[in-house]
Amino acid sequence: GQNIDQPTEMTATEGAIVQINCTYQTSGFNGLFWYQQHAGEAPTFLSYNVLDGLEEKGRFSSFLSRSKGYSYLLLKELQMKDSASYLCAVVDSNYQLIWGAGTKLIIKP
Amino acid sequence: IAGITQAPTSQILAAGRRMTLRCTQDMRHNAMYWYRQDLGLGLRLIHYSNTAGTTGKGEVPDGYSVSRANTDDFPLTLASAVPSQTSVYFCASSDLSGGPYNEQFFGPGTRLTVL
């Protein structure tokens, strides 16, 4: 079967760094997406990794290890507006996105 | 119109009624998708369409039907609504012409309650 695992909820402090992990087992792999979803809103694109390594984009970075079936999203200099759910999704062999349940990130002052 | 629109924004529906959720995109994307999102379960694919005139079943298609008569529109129909179909429904689209990079763009969602 296909499976994407993420922690259900994490809490962090404003100004700190947080790492959200995602492990996956899918039929084929054509890349991994991270999306951000604020409460009551639609998911929006954050990052895409298809090769191993770290992709940095401002305060957000995403890492992929295909051999380990593992990715993480790193958020630096946390701001209150970063309070949201973070969704990990893998592109499978049929080019469909397989979604994790999401990690709800709570930022405290 | 900019991006993807969905209608209605929210709806309360009596069980057994028929309901169509509308979705329109103006990005000329070839692929479109319908998801439902339930607490703790993440996004689950209901139906998809890789190009106008074709549709396919996703993970949870039972009780739902779709059509794709043109590039822009992808309506989702509940033939006879049941309470378990209470959920938030998201329509999404993507451009698959370039290969497997499948960044999906989402509409604002429809919150449906079936009583």
Side-chain angles (χ1 to χ4, degrees), chain B residues 16-71:
Chain B
R17 297 297 295 269
R18 180 184 180 90
M19 175 74 190
T20 295
L21 308 185
R22 299 184 297 279
C23 174
T24 299
Q25 55 109 354
D26 67 353
M27 296 177 283
R28 308 303 293 174
H29 285 168
N30 49 6
M32 296 187 75
Y33 312 86
W34 274 105
Y35 292 95
R36 59 179 290 173
Q37 187 175 39
D38 302 290
L39 195 64
L41 294 179
L43 289 162
R44 292 184 291 169
L45 183 65
I46 304 171
H47 285 286
Y48 66 94
S49 168
N50 286 338
T51 189
T54 68
T55 62
K57 294 181 179 181
E59 179 186 357
V60 288
D62 294 343
Y64 305 95
S65 64
V66 291
S67 62
R68 186 89 183 277
N70 57 60
T71 298

Side-chain angles (χ1 to χ4, degrees), chain B residues 65-86:
Chain B
S65 64
V66 291
S67 62
R68 186 89 183 277
N70 57 60
T71 298
D72 298 343
D73 301 300
F74 191 42
L76 176 74
T77 297
L78 289 67
S80 179
V82 295
S84 63
Q85 292 178 311
T86 293

Side-chain angles (χ1 to χ4, degrees), chain A residues 84-98:
Chain A
S85 288
Y86 292 86
L87 314 181
C88 173
V90 171
V91 186
D92 72 4
S93 56
N94 294 317
Y95 297 169
Q96 297 294 347
L97 263 62
I98 310 301

Side-chain angles (χ1 to χ4, degrees), chain A residues 16-108:
Chain A
I17 299 173
V18 70
Q19 177 176 311
I20 303 173
N21 296 325
C22 171
T23 58
Y24 62 88
Q25 290 178 304
T26 57
S27 58
F29 180 85
N30 282 301
L32 185 146
F33 285 93
W34 284 96
Y35 277 73
Q36 181 189 58
Q37 185 178 25
H38 285 102
E41 298 182 7
T44 56
F45 170 83
L46 282 178
S47 68
Y48 173 74
N49 295 69
V50 67
L51 299 176
D52 289 352
L54 187 68
E55 297 276 345
E56 298 185 80
K57 188 186 299 183
R59 294 188 299 113
F60 292 8
S61 302
S62 56
F63 172 84
L64 175 67
S65 169
R66 288 172 297 173
S67 63
K68 295 182 179 179
Y70 169 70
S71 173
Y72 67 72
L73 181 69
L74 191 71
L75 292 74
K76 303 176 184 177
E77 301 170 14
L78 286 169
Q79 302 175 8
M80 297 304 293
K81 68 179 181 180
D82 296 330
S83 291
S85 288
Y86 292 86
L87 314 181
C88 173
V90 171
V91 186
D92 72 4
S93 56
N94 294 317
Y95 297 169
Q96 297 294 347
L97 263 62
I98 310 301
W99 295 83
T103 299
K104 182 179 181 180
L105 179 62
I106 299 168
I107 309 296
K108 296 186 175 181

